[in-house]
Structure formats: C-alpha cells, structure tokens
C-alpha cells in the first residue's frame, strides 16, 4: 500500500473509531504518562485500558495480544500492591535491575515466546504467530520489571513496541499503531526520567 492509501485508511479509521476504542486509547496514553511520572495511578488507569483492549483485540484475532492483556491485568493488580507497599515502607521507588531480575526478565521473554509461538502456530488461525508471540513475550518481561520498579522495563517494553508498530499497520490498525508509536517515544523519555530519579536518590544517600 502507498502512503496515500495508508493515510486514507487512517482517516477512515478515525471516522469509524468506536467509543470503546477512543476510551482504550485515552486510558492507554494516560497510563504511560503516569508511569513516566512514576505515579501509582498508572495501575487503576491501566486496568481500565487493558479490559477495553482485550475486547477490541479479540475482534482482530491477535490472540497473543489478548493473552498479553490478561497478563497485564494480573501484573497491574500485583504492581499496584507492590508500589503501594513500597511507598508505605519508605523504600526507594526506582532502581536498576540486578542480575537476578534481568535473568528472570530474559527467561520470561524466551520461554513466553516459545510457548506463545507454538500455541499460535498450531492451535489458532493467527497469520502472524512469530511476531505476535515476540511482541507479547517481551512486553510480559517489561511489565514484570515495571511492577518491580526497575528502569529496564522501558527497554523491554520498547523492544516490544518497535515490532508491534509494523504489526499493527499490517493488521490495518493505524490508530493503534500511532498510539504504540507515541508509547515508544514516551518510553524513551520515561527511561531517562527514571534514571534522574535513581541518580538523585544515589546523591541523597551519599
């Protein structure tokens, strides 16, 4: 498809976007901006967004993305609890991952990819099992690190985003692709903002 065709498709989708999709986009944007600001309110906002996206993704047969959002829901509840507990305990809110956390994140990505790919390839009618599995498994790792308030969550989430963007265009979902592009950009700023928090905490301790 030419750029003109994509632009026309984008215009058509904007005109025919349902209220549910607009709400999902709005809450998704709010969630990542709150995460960038290191605000615990990212979790209730994210839970609403996740439930809306699950409904929408089922309609376009992105089954791994649906499973990803089920995981997002569980991790949002878990992360909300952990962030609240750490705030009450007075612990530092952001930190770099240790070897253990990074190892777990990589294992989540690799094992998750293998399992999702096999399920999508053999038990669903997905036409993009490889890319769908990759997007979901790397995002799983990113969400786990986000719940732990580890700065590397932004890296894993953007590895997922950079593959998700062309995948969503392929699925003729330009609005979701544009949202994911926005999230990709915000995640870059989020990484550096969290790094400033870490450096500030380190200086205050010193």
């Amino acid at each position: 498809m030419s750029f003109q065709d994509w632009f026309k498709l984008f215009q058509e989708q904007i005109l025919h976007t349902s209220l549910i999709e607009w709400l999902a986009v709005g809450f998704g944007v709010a969630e990542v901006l709150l995460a960038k600001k290191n605000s615990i309110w990212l979790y209730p906002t994210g839970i609403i967004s996740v439930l809306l996206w699950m409904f929408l993704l089922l309609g376009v047969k992105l089954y791994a993305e649906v499973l990803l959002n089920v995981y997002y829901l569980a991790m949002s509840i878990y992360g909300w609890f952990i962030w609240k507990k750490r705030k009450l305990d007075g612990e530092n809110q952001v930190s770099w991952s240790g070897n253990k956390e990074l190892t777990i994140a990589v294992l989540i990505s690799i094992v998750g990819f293998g399992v999702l790919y096999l399920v999508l390839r053999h038990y669903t009618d997905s036409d993009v099992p490889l890319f769908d599995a990759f997007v979901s498994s790397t995002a799983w790792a990113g969400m786990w690190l986000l719940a732990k308030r580890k700065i590397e969550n932004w890296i894993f989430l953007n590895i997922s985003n950079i593959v998700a963007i062309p995948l969503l265009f392929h699925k003729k979902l330009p609005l979701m692709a544009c949202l994911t592009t926005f999230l990709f950009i915000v995640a870059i700023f989020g990484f550096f903002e969290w790094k400033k928090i870490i450096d500030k905490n380190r200086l205050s301790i010193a």
Side-chain angles (χ1 to χ4, degrees), residues 107-122:
L107 285 174
I108 290 172
S109 298
I110 295 173
V111 174
F113 172 77
V115 171
L116 286 173
Y117 176 74
L118 290 174
V119 170
L120 290 169
R121 181 71 182 272
H122 298 290

Side-chain angles (χ1 to χ4, degrees), residues 5-26:
D5 292 332
W6 280 117
F7 185 72
K8 184 178 180 181
L9 176 62
F10 181 76
Q11 285 183 312
E12 289 176 354
Q13 189 179 48
I14 290 291
L15 292 173
H16 295 92
T17 296
S18 66
L19 177 60
I20 292 177
E21 189 169 352
W22 279 118
L23 289 172
V25 170

Side-chain angles (χ1 to χ4, degrees), residues 62-198:
L62 286 175
Y63 303 116
E65 296 290 326
V66 176
L67 289 175
L68 171 61
N69 278 274
V70 172
Y71 176 82
Y72 277 176
L73 182 61
M75 290 306 299
S76 293
I77 296 170
Y78 171 72
W80 197 355
F81 173 78
I82 293 296
W83 280 42
K84 187 174 181 180
K85 182 177 183 298
R86 287 186 174 180
K87 185 176 182 180
L88 292 173
D89 291 344
E91 297 179 11
N92 287 336
Q93 300 297 299
V94 176
S95 63
W96 292 97
S97 298
N99 290 334
K100 180 180 178 181
E101 287 91 359
L102 285 177
T103 300
I104 292 174
V106 171
L107 285 174
I108 290 172
S109 298
I110 295 173
V111 174
F113 172 77
V115 171
L116 286 173
Y117 176 74
L118 290 174
V119 170
L120 290 169
R121 181 71 182 272
H122 298 290
Y123 300 102
T124 76
D125 58 350
S126 173
D127 60 337
V128 284
L130 185 70
F131 297 108
D132 199 5
F134 181 86
V135 167
S136 296
S137 60
T138 49
W140 281 4
M143 282 298 293
W144 182 79
L145 289 169
L146 176 61
K148 295 290 184 180
R149 258 180 175 157
K150 301 299 180 181
I151 191 173
E152 290 87 354
N153 85 85
W154 298 110
I155 297 173
F156 278 85
L157 290 175
N158 258 0
I159 290 172
S160 174
N161 286 335
I162 204 168
V163 176
I165 294 167
L167 176 61
L168 290 168
F169 274 117
H170 169 73
K171 283 292 184 177
K172 295 182 173 56
L173 293 170
L175 184 61
M176 291 177 67
C178 289
L179 170 63
T180 305
T181 302
F182 172 78
L183 300 182
F184 178 85
I185 295 169
V186 172
I188 295 173
F189 287 99
F191 176 87
F192 288 106
E193 192 157 326
W194 280 34
K195 186 176 183 299
K196 288 180 182 177
I197 296 173
I198 294 173

